[in-house]
Amino acid sequence: MATLGVNEAERAAIERFQREVIEPSMTSLVILDFWAEWCGPCKQLGPMLDKVAADYADKGVILAKIDVDQDKLVAAQFRIQSIPTVYALFQGQPVADLTNYRTEAQLKRVLDQLLAQLPVKGEAQDLAAEVEPLIAIAEQVLADGDAARAENIFSQIREMDPDNPVVIGGLARTMVETGKIDEARQLLEPLTDELRKHPAVSRAIAALDVASAPASDVSAEEARLAANPDDHEARFAIAQARLAAGDRDAAADELLEIIARDKEWNEGAARTRFLQMLEAVGLEDAWARSQRRRLSALLFT
């Protein structure tokens, strides 16, 4: 920012801007709010910006406010023509115009996008860098079949990062694997709708639902099915029983047979249960991929 021909007050404003905005923006994402005391819309927007900045502080987001009446030179440098005007700055450069994002949800959405693209450094990013390799270790231990040890690792990671949905989902899946169904349910049920939509948590919920399939004697249903191959209710009960017994191949076969005979039976219950099984295993798992191919062959050929 040019300083030639400026008075002492303007020089002080420039130095303050350098210290409070430009220097922090080298590692942080700065929300720069141009406002004035007489501006009604500015006063309406201000509390929302304060709240979002506070919510994102640990992610390396800082809020700086520029009073266009007091810091006219700074406002002129940014060619501010109307207020409120809000920019996002990183490493001294504007990276987004946030002026039109007037709700908390809108602003958080664009901040999430920026933080995913820029090497912003905050406490959350530092914690993520520390936690990610530990999560990978826990997942590998679980994949190797030692669910009890994986549960212990995930529990320790959760002490470090209690709100991480990947950690919560992983811990819940280890609980399901070790037969702690009630504990897994207690962990997952209080989560917000937003957290429940996270892929890691959604997978854990699917695993819990699959593990909760009732184990029962289905000899009567087998007799019904032998008499009527289109008795989908009986076949679905048999699939549930096979799943409860740990025979996912047999469960998949029965569910796919229902889908082959009537894709829309019971509002697509067989397909929903089938997809839950795949999600519980992990959509990138080799078994899940092969079963998805079987499903696609039924649906699209």
Side-chain angles (χ1 to χ4, degrees), residues 14 94 115 128 189 192 198 286:
I14 292 170
L115 291 171
E189 283 185 348
T192 64
H198 189 282

Side-chain angles (χ1 to χ4, degrees), residues 196-267:
R196 293 172 73 87
K197 292 176 183 177
H198 189 282
V201 175
S202 177
R203 180 183 176 187
I205 291 172
L208 178 62
D209 288 344
V210 167
S212 301
S216 58
D217 180 7
V218 288
S219 55
E221 284 77 6
E222 290 172 339
R224 284 168 49 190
L225 192 61
N228 177 15
D230 285 326
D231 188 338
H232 303 320
E233 183 179 354
R235 194 182 295 277
F236 190 81
I238 293 169
Q240 295 276 71
R242 301 290 184 264
L243 193 56
D247 191 347
R248 65 185 186 186
D249 288 320
D253 289 344
E254 299 294 357
L255 293 171
L256 286 171
E257 184 64 25
I258 295 174
I259 296 168
R261 290 173 178 269
D262 184 353
K263 296 180 179 64
E264 303 305 322
W265 173 77
N266 196 16
E267 299 182 347

Side-chain angles (χ1 to χ4, degrees), residues 19-189:
R19 183 175 62 255
E20 297 178 0
V21 177
I22 300 299
E23 292 178 5
S25 78
M26 292 300 105
T27 56
S28 300
L29 184 67
V30 178
I31 299 175
L32 188 57
D33 176 27
F34 290 90
W35 73 291
E37 187 64 37
W38 48 264
C39 172
C42 297
K43 293 181 178 180
Q44 293 177 344
L45 182 63
M48 188 271 283
L49 294 177
D50 290 338
K51 182 180 185 303
V52 171
D55 290 345
Y56 277 67
D58 66 339
K59 298 181 181 180
V61 174
I62 297 172
L63 175 63
K65 294 178 178 288
I66 302 295
D67 186 327
V68 296
D69 290 334
Q70 294 183 8
D71 294 327
K72 293 179 180 179
L73 182 60
V74 174
Q77 290 285 336
F78 280 85
R79 299 179 181 177
I80 301 302
Q81 296 180 341
S82 64
I83 55 175
T85 293
V86 185
Y87 291 130
L89 267 65
F90 182 65
Q91 295 183 346
Q93 299 296 321
V95 293
D97 185 343
L98 307 179
T99 304
N100 291 327
Y101 300 103
R102 297 300 179 91
T103 70
E104 184 177 334
Q106 290 174 338
L107 184 58
K108 285 186 173 182
R109 183 164 58 250
V110 72
L111 287 178
D112 287 339
Q113 293 171 354
L114 290 171
L115 291 171
Q117 298 167 4
L118 301 171
V120 175
K121 295 182 180 179
E123 292 180 8
Q125 287 87 341
D126 292 341
L127 180 60
E130 185 177 356
V131 162
E132 284 175 7
L134 300 178
I135 293 174
I137 291 172
E139 288 287 1
Q140 186 59 55
V141 170
L142 181 59
D144 290 341
D146 194 343
R149 182 168 168 244
E151 181 185 351
N152 183 52
I153 297 172
F154 270 120
S155 295
Q156 293 181 53
I157 301 172
R158 193 172 181 228
E159 291 179 3
M160 301 167 56
D161 195 359
D163 298 322
N164 189 323
V166 177
V167 177
I168 294 171
L171 178 58
R173 285 190 292 114
T174 62
M175 289 177 172
V176 170
E177 288 291 326
T178 55
K180 298 178 180 178
I181 303 300
D182 290 339
E183 288 91 333
R185 185 172 289 110
Q186 291 170 7
L187 176 62
L188 295 172
E189 283 185 348

